[in-house]
Amino acid sequence: FKGFFRCNCAKIMDMLQKGIIKEIRTYERTYLPTDNVLMMAVDLGMSTQYSIELATDIKRGLKGKAIKGYRPSIAPLGYKNSKYREKGRDEAILVDEERFPLVRKIFDLALTGQYSVLGLMNVTNNELGLRTKGYKVSRPDKKLSRSNMYRILTNTFYYGEFEFPEKSGNWYKGNHIPMITRD
């Protein structure tokens, strides 16, 4: 990443000096082809370092939340993130009173051994009426797809554990109410 940045900055500064790029505007300043390239390089280096330090701080904060048992991401179907929180307090993952019992019913039906994943999907969509959470106006609640069903059935969050970041091998015990047991 750092080599990529240096390479592209050098190209951009070269294109600015040659007049291929007419000007570069930032919040604080406008760079023109006649400007001192050294000052632009210093400014770019400072902004790059700031971004690197900010990313490190954010990763540290997210890991700290995970260690305390708070999954630092959007809660899966059947749960919801608390809307109100005080500064400095971790955001709790709460039970979604409407969807929690419906998702729990999916696990109960799966444990009978009488349903395939497609059968569970049909029962969920047509009989239970479970819908996904619509996060945006442009994406309202919708029926569960096959991938939604597989994601629910394989998500360790439902029995109280989560991996963060995903596929990192770092597992944490959640502070939320588990829907099922590990067994």
Side-chain angles (χ1 to χ4, degrees), residues 154-171:
T154 60
N155 192 343
T156 61
F157 186 84
Y158 291 109
Y159 64 75
E161 296 178 13
F162 62 93
E163 183 181 23
F164 185 80
E166 286 185 16
K167 300 182 182 175
S168 66
N170 300 322
W171 289 91

Side-chain angles (χ1 to χ4, degrees), residues 50-180:
Y50 174 77
S51 295
I52 291 168
E53 290 170 0
L54 183 61
T56 302
D57 289 344
I58 289 170
K59 288 176 187 173
R60 186 181 318 115
L62 293 176
K63 184 176 181 180
K65 284 183 176 218
I67 289 169
K68 292 178 183 177
Y70 300 101
R71 182 175 179 235
S73 59
I74 294 173
L77 195 61
Y79 293 93
K80 60 185 177 182
N81 296 86
S82 62
K83 291 182 181 179
Y84 307 103
R85 63 180 178 153
E86 296 174 27
K87 187 174 182 176
R89 295 194 60 189
D90 293 310
E91 183 171 344
I93 295 182
L94 308 170
V95 168
D96 181 343
E97 296 82 13
E98 178 186 341
R99 292 182 175 97
F100 188 91
L102 299 175
V103 175
R104 172 60 203 207
K105 184 75 173 165
I106 293 171
F107 286 105
D108 291 338
L109 292 171
L111 287 172
T112 66
Q114 297 177 5
Y115 296 92
S116 66
V117 172
L118 289 176
L120 285 171
M121 187 179 77
N122 288 331
V123 169
T124 302
N125 288 327
N126 300 325
E127 293 176 28
L128 299 177
L130 179 62
R131 300 291 180 259
T132 62
K133 294 186 257 184
Y135 295 105
K136 300 178 183 176
V137 175
S138 62
R139 187 177 159 225
D141 298 355
K142 59 182 183 177
K143 291 183 176 184
L144 268 68
S145 65
R146 187 178 351 182
S147 62
N148 290 136
M149 192 59 61
Y150 277 108
R151 198 171 303 120
I152 288 169
L153 294 172
T154 60
N155 192 343
T156 61
F157 186 84
Y158 291 109
Y159 64 75
E161 296 178 13
F162 62 93
E163 183 181 23
F164 185 80
E166 286 185 16
K167 300 182 182 175
S168 66
N170 300 322
W171 289 91
Y172 303 95
K173 176 148 179 43
N175 277 342
H176 60 284
I177 297 170
M179 184 179 292
I180 59 173

